[in-house]
Amino acid sequence: MPELSKSYEPGAIEARWAEFWVREKLFSVPTPPPGETRPVFTLLLPPPNVTGSLHMGHMFEQTQMDIMVRWHRMRGFVTLWLPGTDHAGIATQLMVERQLSKEGKKRRELGREKFIERVWEWKRQYGSAITDQMKRLGASVDWDREYFTMDENLSRAVREVFVRLYEEGLIYRGKYIVNWCPRCETAISDLEVKHEEVAGKLWEIRYPVIGTKEFITVATTRPETMLGDTAVAVNEKDERYKHLHGKKVLLPLMNREIPIITDELAQPEFGTGAVKVTPAHDPNDFAAGKRHNLPQIAVMDEHARMNQNAGPYANLDRYEARKLVLADLQEQGFLVGEKNHTLALGKCDRCGTVVEPRLSEQWFIKIKPLADRAREAVEGGEITIVPDNYRQIYLNWMTNIYDWCISRQLWWGHRIPAWSCEGCKEVIVAREAPARCGKCGGSKLEQVSDVLDTWFSSGLLPFTTLGWPEKTRDLDVFYPNMLMITGFDILFFWLARMIMFGCHFMQGHKQDAAIKRASGEGDKKDDSVPFRHVYIHALVRDADRQKMSKTKGNVVDPLDIIRRFGTDATRFTLAAMAAPGTDIAFSESRTEGYRAFANKIWNAARFMFMNVERVEPGLTPDKVQFTEQSLEDRWIHSRFRGTTLAVNSALSNYRFDHAALSIYDFFWGEFCDWYLELIKPRLASENRATAAMACANLVYLFDAALRLLHPVMPFITEEIWQAIYEGKAPQKSVALVGYPQADQKQIDLAAETEMAILQDLIVSVRNLRAELKVEPKEKVPIQLFVHEPAIRTVIEQNRNAVERLANVEAIVFVDQTPAGKGAGRSTARFDVHVIYEAKIDLTAECERLKKELEKLEKGIASGQRQLSNEQFLAKAPQSVVENLRKQQLELAILREKTEGKLKELSCV
């Protein structure tokens, strides 16, 4: 076996293997032919924006995905992890516009065609940044299948979906109130608006009632919109205003007569009970305007500047207009008052500009028919969502969903496949550009300038990336995906829309029956759903559990963490902290600790290589079997099987934290700290057969442990595994060999119990030596009183191990609890006394014993509460109850011994 370098340097190792995996196309998946009987695991990477670079959220999500993908691949699944990037309409357009601005140019000066060329040029130059980072981090995706959401095949599928929905009457065009971003100059969806609580003002304005000396007072946070008021609403049941029903008011500043209407929009208990109605600038007012056939007067343009309908305020910015409107209202006696008011201010999620509700002609999807089926898919168990609380959140949202505005006033994106006839104004929706108008025969047709919401095309990815609308073998094999891992922040943006589109367009689809059965899915399960299971991961926060933001200056750059600690240590940190439903408080100290874990593995490998080279050169795992020669062999073999069971179970339930920590405890706590120490005498034995057998066990177990760890720490495991085989490995990579499996029947409880006795004794003696300040190299005798003959037998049979690891000169068995000079410990199985003439700090020992007694009392009290709880006894498994009773007996014994020791030392 080769000699590993003395120090573990992750940088060079990781770069080499990352390049190797891509170059060798290790994770490329050819389409299985008919007759394939292996199970299939498909996972779609949530496509990062082409504008992006890797942040901690990406790394957290991709670490979990890569663990699941590698785990399934090693378990024999045909495993496809499909990568790609999103064209990110608004974000990319903003990026290129900023680039143009630095050159003193503007988008409109360039024109649409030239601007689009410029975006493609930018994409070619910068668009691969995040995928290059993914390659460096070792994401085991199929790079041969990488897509971009503006690829021609995907664009064709987008057009097909749009046209079909239009033909089915599910896409329509109409004037509605939309969220309008004046900076991006486009409509954005409710989900793309972020609301911030800010301190604002509430102004009360009085409108004179025509033909009377009365006024009706309304309140508003946006006084500039009053210029577009077309009514004042009161509630029909509000006694205060019944005498004003049917009357009109004079709109201040504009001197326009507008009606007083009765509508549920006005609630008597809120404010004055009267509200201004501005149908062109508020969604609720728009609905009321529809009910009462009110005019829709827009007073702002697409830049949020006042237009000609605003009269003397035309051409002013909305906030400049607000100041002037308030001043004029004050001067003319219409401003009643001003109050402090906290409001949720909507801002564009991309650029941070305050959003303006605006009346605009847009394209919409009639969403309810799609949402109903998508809701049924989750309610009926066709799709499971973990953690379960997100299931209810999803169902609530799908029940109260509104029609989706899918058009955006951008140039970059999938252009809506609709053309307007110059002659008769007919709008023609078609898959390809029509030559003539079907209504009037005119040939002057102009394509609609709007593009589709980015999430429209993203929502189609589970099936369009597999060849839809063609009927492909890839669809038969890989659709539906087995799993979707994503964050809560895009649950509605993306996840819900994938479910709606998948259920609608893949209706009637049948996955290959043999593959479906092999993958563990029932024959009756519907195959139209885009994925079977959804895991919603938590957020990564800073060490103080604060949300990361550039403003706070607490953003953690994963690339910086990786440079300092290595990819494996960073991945392990994220996995070890990934409890479902709980946000991660990312800690550099934890990462440093897992970097030390990688060092521990590295040094253990060097120890193995050194011994194999000395005893049995050329020994590889495929040439050996594990032989249980001794108690430590039986124990470690059982513990490895137990760890294997725990890890497989944890990953099945998305408990990445349990999986990582189980491996950590085994590799460091059991394998390195105990087993390696226990077998050193056999490895050094002059009996070649004994040493060779110990080497064989070591190599066998190390190989299995590397395979167990590989999905979480792929780089260090690849490096050591390849070194073990010296270029003669059975596969190109450890990622392609089998994942360890185990059965509960293989657990050796007797060996684990016996080893626990030895470990307890050794640790007790080590602790006593430390308390007595015995020099490390000095051996001391111990007296031992055991409670059962079987315990003495175990210790007798392993006397050499105890004496060596506890640095004991001799073990003397006695017939009662030992006493005398030195210090002692009592456990439920034995009492041990280290014989050593040294001054004991009586005060400190008494304090320790008191704390121990207090701890025991609490444990006994807690157990008694449980055992006296009838509900607990009725529901808990019998084994749990029996273990608790046994534990109570052991605690009672320890309490008695501790009390005796306190009396012996005359502790007050």
Side-chain angles (χ1 to χ4, degrees):
M1 284 188 177
E3 185 177 343
L4 295 179
S5 60
K6 286 187 177 180
S7 61
Y8 168 58
E9 299 296 339
I13 290 171
E14 291 171 359
R16 176 159 42 84
W17 289 117
E19 190 273 333
F20 171 81
W21 292 332
V22 174
R23 185 185 70 241
E24 295 295 321
K25 299 181 181 291
L26 287 191
F27 310 123
S28 295
V29 184
T31 305
E36 176 62 69
T37 56
R38 287 177 295 168
V40 168
F41 180 81
T42 315
L43 187 64
L44 179 69
L45 176 80
N49 287 351
V50 70
T51 57
S53 60
L54 195 81
H55 58 63
M56 193 55 85
H58 286 131
M59 182 154 190
F60 178 47
E61 181 173 85
Q62 290 176 19
T63 293
Q64 295 182 345
M65 296 180 88
D66 196 43
I67 288 170
M68 294 302 286
V69 167
R70 289 177 183 269
W71 178 56
H72 278 88
R73 187 183 292 118
M74 293 177 76
R75 289 163 62 224
F77 284 67
V78 178
T79 305
L80 173 61
W81 187 11
L82 198 56
T85 47
D86 193 281
H87 64 278
I90 293 177
T92 307
Q93 182 157 317
L94 283 174
M95 194 76 74
V96 177
E97 283 185 11
R98 287 184 191 130
Q99 194 179 60
L100 287 172
S101 181
K102 290 177 183 176
E103 300 169 14
K105 299 175 184 175
K106 291 187 176 179
R107 167 170 61 101
R108 296 193 185 279
E109 293 170 359
L110 233 62
R112 183 168 193 146
E113 193 174 325
K114 291 288 184 186
F115 180 77
I116 296 299
E117 287 177 12
R118 185 66 181 260
V119 179
W120 278 108
E121 183 185 321
W122 183 92
K123 193 262 178 186
R124 283 188 290 271
Q125 191 171 355
Y126 302 108
S128 62
I130 196 162
T131 52
D132 289 344
Q133 290 167 350
M134 283 180 62
K135 288 174 183 175
R136 166 60 185 82
L137 298 180
S140 63
V141 301
D142 184 345
W143 291 111
D144 288 343
R145 292 176 181 260
E146 183 183 0
Y147 65 85
F148 177 54
T149 51
M150 290 283 284
D151 287 343
E152 179 49 39
N153 60 319
L154 296 184
S155 296
R156 184 170 65 88
V158 168
R159 291 194 298 273
E160 180 67 28
V161 164
F162 186 95
V163 173
R164 286 196 196 181
L165 289 173
Y166 183 80
E167 290 172 347
E168 293 167 13
L170 293 175
I171 283 183
Y172 63 93
R173 195 182 194 191
K175 272 196 168 185
Y176 288 87
I177 292 287
V178 295
N179 302 300
W180 186 269
C181 175
R183 164 62 186 83
C184 300
E185 297 180 34
T186 182
I188 57 177
S189 72
D190 291 344
L191 296 172
E192 293 167 297
V193 178
K194 58 180 180 181
H195 290 90
E196 295 179 7
E197 279 204 354
V198 297
K201 299 289 184 183
L202 184 69
W203 290 277
E204 291 185 341
I205 306 165
R206 59 182 191 169
Y207 291 18
V209 181
I210 294 172
T212 74
K213 292 183 179 180
E214 287 188 65
F215 293 88
I216 192 163
T217 302
V218 300
T220 181
T221 58
R222 298 159 64 217
E224 65 279 7
T225 63
M226 67 168 288
L227 305 174
D229 284 1
T230 56
V232 169
V234 296
N235 194 287
E236 188 176 20
K237 297 175 183 176
D238 194 333
E239 295 291 337
R240 291 171 295 177
Y241 300 116
K242 281 204 170 181
H243 67 292
L244 297 179
H245 292 184
K247 291 190 179 294
K248 292 185 178 182
V249 297
L250 190 67
L251 179 63
L253 307 184
M254 300 303 285
N255 295 320
R256 184 168 67 239
E257 291 187 7
I258 59 176
I260 295 174
I261 62 171
T262 57
D263 194 274
E264 293 297 319
L265 182 66
Q267 295 295 315
E269 63 271 21
F270 291 112
T272 64
V275 295
K276 60 192 281 301
V277 183
T278 320
H281 290 279
D282 182 273
N284 295 319
D285 293 5
F286 175 81
K290 282 282 190 184
R291 290 193 290 271
H292 296 274
N293 199 27
L294 296 175
Q296 299 164 345
I297 302 175
V299 294
M300 290 184 211
D301 65 14
E302 66 271 23
H303 305 291
R305 299 186 73 84
M306 310 311 287
N307 62 20
Q308 69 279 4
N309 292 331
Y313 307 96
N315 300 319
L316 292 176
D317 170 79
R318 54 182 162 170
Y319 299 120
E320 292 171 352
R322 177 178 297 179
K323 290 177 185 176
L324 193 54
V325 163
L326 289 168
D328 289 347
L329 288 170
Q330 179 76 47
E331 184 182 337
Q332 296 177 32
F334 295 115
L335 188 61
V336 177
E338 175 185 292
K339 297 177 182 176
N340 291 328
H341 180 71
T342 301
L343 65 152
L345 197 63
K347 294 184 177 181
C348 174
D349 195 38
R350 290 293 175 193
C351 69
T353 303
V354 174
V355 168
E356 194 66 45
R358 182 169 184 258
L359 185 64
S360 175
E361 189 167 59
Q362 301 289 342
W363 294 82
F364 294 84
I365 291 183
K366 194 180 292 182
I367 210 71
K368 192 174 185 304
L370 301 180
D372 286 347
R373 172 68 186 99
R375 189 178 63 251
E376 289 169 6
V378 172
E379 285 178 333
E382 295 164 55
I383 299 172
T384 60
I385 299 178
V386 177
D388 189 62
N389 60 301
Y390 289 116
R391 176 182 182 274
Q392 195 55 51
I393 292 170
Y394 166 88
L395 292 173
N396 290 343
W397 191 74
M398 297 303 279
T399 302
N400 302 301
I401 198 168
Y402 296 100
D403 284 358
W404 175 16
C405 175
I406 55 172
S407 48
R408 298 291 181 269
Q409 287 63 56
L410 302 170
W411 286 355
W412 174 244
H414 294 103
R415 198 165 177 179
I416 289 178
W419 287 260
S420 179
C421 174
E422 188 180 300
C424 67
K425 307 305 178 187
E426 177 77 359
V427 174
I428 305 142
V429 171
R431 291 167 178 81
E432 303 296 339
R436 291 188 174 278
C437 173
K439 186 176 181 182
C440 72
S443 60
K444 290 188 176 180
L445 306 174
E446 185 176 353
Q447 189 171 0
V448 170
S449 62
D450 295 352
V451 300
L452 287 164
D453 179 4
T454 297
W455 298 103
F456 185 96
S457 54
S458 299
L460 309 174
L461 291 173
F463 52 93
T464 56
T465 52
L466 298 173
W468 190 94
E470 306 301 326
K471 291 186 176 180
T472 65
R473 176 64 184 161
D474 273 352
L475 282 168
D476 291 343
V477 172
F478 297 116
Y479 189 94
N481 285 209
M482 179 71 76
L483 175 65
M484 171 54 61
I485 296 180
T486 189
F488 171 70
D489 53 339
I490 55 173
L491 177 61
F492 307 124
F493 274 125
W494 193 44
L495 194 93
R497 286 157 179 175
M498 284 191 287
I499 297 174
M500 286 190 281
F501 282 146
C503 290
H504 187 76
F505 287 100
M506 296 303 289
Q507 190 174 2
H509 168 72
K510 294 293 181 186
Q511 189 179 21
D512 182 298
I515 288 172
K516 186 175 178 180
R517 282 193 297 274
S519 302
E521 300 299 333
D523 290 339
K524 292 182 180 179
K525 278 200 173 181
D526 191 289
D527 295 338
S528 68
V529 295
F531 26 75
R532 306 284 188 197
H533 309 281
V534 176
Y535 175 67
I536 306 291
H537 63 70
L539 295 177
V540 183
R541 298 179 180 271
D542 71 8
D544 298 319
R545 295 198 173 276
Q546 297 296 308
K547 189 174 181 180
M548 293 186 193
S549 73
K550 291 178 182 177
T551 309
K552 292 178 183 175
N554 64 345
V555 173
V556 177
D557 179 1
L559 299 176
D560 176 57
I561 298 294
I562 286 162
R563 278 189 291 271
R564 291 161 56 201
F565 302 110
T567 306
D568 280 339
T570 309
R571 283 172 61 114
F572 201 94
T573 305
L574 293 169
M577 300 179 80
T582 305
D583 289 347
I584 282 183
F586 185 80
S587 162
E588 283 193 17
S589 62
R590 287 281 294 267
T591 314
E592 192 172 4
Y594 295 131
R595 171 69 166 79
F597 177 48
N599 278 341
K600 188 81 170 178
I601 296 166
W602 187 261
N603 290 332
R606 293 186 73 244
F607 173 80
M608 174 185 67
F609 287 150
M610 177 188 71
N611 280 281
V612 170
E613 194 62 31
R614 179 177 55 80
V615 176
E616 194 83 8
L619 189 67
T620 53
D622 55 342
K623 297 176 182 175
V624 299
Q625 288 294 321
F626 194 91
T627 306
E628 296 180 351
Q629 283 185 300
S630 61
L631 172 60
E632 62 259 28
D633 289 337
R634 289 170 53 214
W635 167 74
I636 198 66
H637 208 188
S638 179
R639 288 304 308 125
F640 177 74
R641 286 162 169 167
T643 303
T644 297
L645 284 171
V647 171
N648 279 298
S649 173
L651 292 178
S652 295
N653 293 290
Y654 316 111
R655 292 308 305 253
F656 301 96
D657 53 336
H658 287 179
L661 294 174
S662 293
I663 298 170
Y664 179 91
D665 289 344
F666 172 79
F667 222 128
W668 189 315
E670 294 172 333
F671 180 71
C672 291
D673 282 359
W674 286 100
Y675 186 66
L676 293 186
E677 294 300 321
L678 286 163
I679 65 167
K680 279 180 179 178
R682 283 194 284 152
L683 289 170
S685 173
E686 292 181 3
N687 183 320
R688 189 178 177 283
T690 299
M693 189 69 75
C695 273
N697 282 355
L698 180 56
V699 169
Y700 177 94
L701 197 62
F702 211 110
D703 166 77
L706 288 174
R707 287 183 283 122
L708 194 70
L709 176 62
H710 176 74
V712 188
M713 299 180 90
F715 292 102
I716 191 171
T717 51
E718 185 78 90
E719 177 76 8
I720 297 172
W721 188 83
Q722 296 280 1
I724 289 173
Y725 282 100
E726 295 187 82
K728 299 174 184 177
Q731 291 280 1
K732 280 187 176 181
S733 167
V734 65
L736 304 179
V737 297
Y739 198 74
Q741 300 296 317
D743 189 289
Q744 190 66 42
K745 295 174 184 175
Q746 296 174 313
I747 304 300
D748 189 338
L749 290 177
E752 293 192 21
T753 301
E754 290 172 12
M755 182 56 71
I757 294 168
L758 298 180
Q759 289 173 314
D760 199 5
L761 176 58
I762 291 165
V763 170
S764 294
V765 173
R766 286 174 176 173
N767 290 339
L768 289 168
R769 287 175 59 93
E771 287 174 24
L772 293 168
K773 295 182 173 57
V774 180
E775 289 295 322
K777 292 183 180 179
E778 185 177 354
K779 292 180 180 291
V780 292
I782 62 171
Q783 290 181 337
L784 197 60
F785 171 61
V786 296
H787 301 174
E788 296 174 20
I791 296 173
R792 175 167 181 164
T793 302
V794 171
I795 295 170
E796 288 276 20
Q797 290 172 346
N798 296 276
R799 178 188 289 265
N800 290 340
V802 174
E803 290 177 347
R804 182 169 59 85
L805 296 182
N807 210 7
V808 168
E809 182 181 56
I811 299 173
V812 179
F813 288 93
V814 295
D815 296 330
Q816 61 183 11
T817 300
K821 294 176 181 177
R825 282 284 183 280
S826 295
T827 75
R829 295 189 178 102
F830 59 79
D831 300 333
V832 61
H833 195 86
V834 172
I835 303 168
Y836 185 71
E837 290 194 35
K839 186 177 179 182
I840 298 175
D841 186 335
L842 189 62
T843 304
E845 180 65 5
C846 286
E847 190 62 33
R848 186 192 68 78
L849 287 168
K850 286 176 183 177
K851 285 182 180 177
E852 180 66 22
L853 183 61
E854 185 180 348
K855 183 179 173 184
L856 291 167
E857 295 282 10
K858 285 181 180 178
I860 290 169
S862 174
Q864 286 174 344
R865 278 195 300 273
Q866 283 183 285
L867 290 172
S868 62
N869 186 327
E870 295 297 331
Q871 196 173 8
F872 168 77
L873 295 175
K875 290 184 178 180
Q878 190 60 34
S879 59
V880 171
V881 176
E882 288 304 318
N883 283 337
L884 187 57
R885 287 186 173 130
K886 183 180 177 183
Q887 187 183 65
Q888 287 293 97
L889 289 172
E890 291 178 353
L891 290 173
I893 293 168
L894 289 175
R895 178 176 62 181
E896 185 181 341
K897 289 181 177 181
T898 304
E899 287 172 339
K901 193 69 177 173
L902 282 164
K903 285 180 183 177
E904 183 185 322
L905 295 176
S906 301
C907 297
V908 179

